[in-house]
Amino acid sequence: MSTFIIAEAGVNHNGSLELAKQLIDAAVDAGADAVKFQTFRAEQLVARHAPKAEYQTRTTDAKESQFEMIRKLELTDADHVVLIAHAKARGIEFLSTPFDTASLHLLTNRFGLTTIKVSSGDITNAPFLLDIARAAQRVILSTGMSTLAEIEAALGVLAFGFIEPNATPARNSFEEAYSSDAGQRALRDRAVLLHCTTEYPAPICEVNLRAMDTMSTAFGLPVGYSDHTQGIHISVAAVARGATVIEKHFTLDRGLPGPDHKASLEPSELNAMVSAIRDVEQALGDGIKRPTVTEAKNRSVARKSLVIERDLVPGEKLVLSCKRPGTGLSPFEYWRMADRVATRNYAADEVLDE
């Protein structure tokens, strides 16, 4: 199964439509399956005096508020029209993470997006999760900063939204939906979890890729990885551990101003990551241990046969050793042949065939 690779442009367009189009082109050139942006209205997302994250303070003007920072990074409705058309023309899937219900409905109702990626920050935003479940055909849920209990609670909301498109939830509605056969079927059909460490860049020692195994066992859902580490090697390792989706931030230039550029890949690195992931997919194979087509021709060269250790004449006991090539009797026959007597002349290094 091919890993679904999301090239996360995010807000690395810096509010420039032309830069956003170039990001789409770079994602296409790298061979990604989808390019993803972020759709929001600052007034709906953050209070005007909310502080920035530490990494945002390091990479942007420390004096401006989070509201002031992200307001400059909004994409307009008209921008979306242009970018979605450009992505379609270039043959890559357009995705975006909405951060408010109006933005969600803009993506699903007006622009027809069927897959919605949910930010880790919204995993406890139950009203929004319910809106997402009722608007999207497929949900990719990031789980950064979360416990298993919080993930299960979020899945309960999604399950309820999937199977109850109009009902108002009561106190135990989400737990009941999650526990129901219908809710579990809907989650299996429509939900994907992404393991994530929500720090930019994420410290290698905090990545904990084995958590993907834990999540897969706990929830029985496809699990991928949203990678905030520097470099490409952790994403490649995640695929080797079974990640079905990889999401990775990228930029045209890490030196550009903005909150996410410094923790993003540049185009050549994105290209290398996609290529490495596709190599790993092929290398994983089907799990059946057997000689490959290309190996078969090397058996006779690399393996050994029973050979005569020195010149022998009839009547002498065979003196055997194991040497290449592997065209004669297998060394497994050593004990059967060791007590035999030569019935003819043998030359040193002669391969025994019986």
Side-chain angles (χ1 to χ4, degrees), residues 169-294:
R171 180 177 178 83
N172 297 321
S173 296
F174 302 142
E175 291 181 6
E176 291 173 358
Y178 179 77
S179 300
S180 70
D181 290 341
Q184 285 294 310
R185 281 196 302 272
L187 288 172
R188 288 193 298 271
D189 290 342
R190 299 171 63 179
V192 176
L193 297 174
L194 296 189
H195 175 51
C196 178
T197 302
T198 307
E199 176 63 319
Y200 303 83
I204 297 295
C205 62
E206 294 185 8
V207 166
N208 192 20
L209 287 180
R210 289 190 176 97
M212 293 194 306
D213 305 333
T214 302
M215 292 162 58
S216 178
T217 300
F219 303 116
L221 298 176
V223 176
Y225 178 54
S226 180
D227 185 12
H228 296 156
T229 65
Q230 293 179 313
I232 70 172
H233 52 303
I234 303 303
S235 284
V236 176
V239 172
R241 288 199 69 84
T244 60
V245 176
I246 290 292
E247 178 186 71
K248 185 76 172 180
H249 282 265
F250 78 107
T251 177
L252 296 182
D253 182 354
R254 267 195 296 273
L256 289 171
D260 294 341
H261 292 285
K262 284 184 171 54
S264 300
L265 299 179
E266 292 187 340
S268 62
E269 297 167 314
L270 180 64
N271 195 316
M273 185 193 79
V274 174
S275 178
I277 286 173
R278 298 309 182 210
D279 285 347
V280 167
E281 289 171 345
Q282 292 187 64
L284 286 172
D286 59 14
I288 301 171
K289 179 57 182 173
R290 62 188 184 279
T292 68
V293 172
T294 56

Side-chain angles (χ1 to χ4, degrees), residues 274-326:
V274 174
S275 178
I277 286 173
R278 298 309 182 210
D279 285 347
V280 167
E281 289 171 345
Q282 292 187 64
L284 286 172
D286 59 14
I288 301 171
K289 179 57 182 173
R290 62 188 184 279
T292 68
V293 172
T294 56
E295 276 185 312
K297 67 180 184 298
N298 296 323
R299 275 178 157 182
S300 62
V301 176
R303 290 185 175 180
K304 296 177 180 178
S305 301
L306 292 179
V307 301
I308 300 299
E309 180 68 18
R310 60 176 175 80
D311 291 343
L312 297 176
V313 297
E316 288 188 284
K317 186 177 178 181
L318 296 183
V319 182
L320 305 175
S321 62
C322 303
K323 297 182 181 181
R324 292 175 177 175

Side-chain angles (χ1 to χ4, degrees), residues 35 139 143 253 288:
V35 60
V139 176
T143 62
D253 182 354
I288 301 171

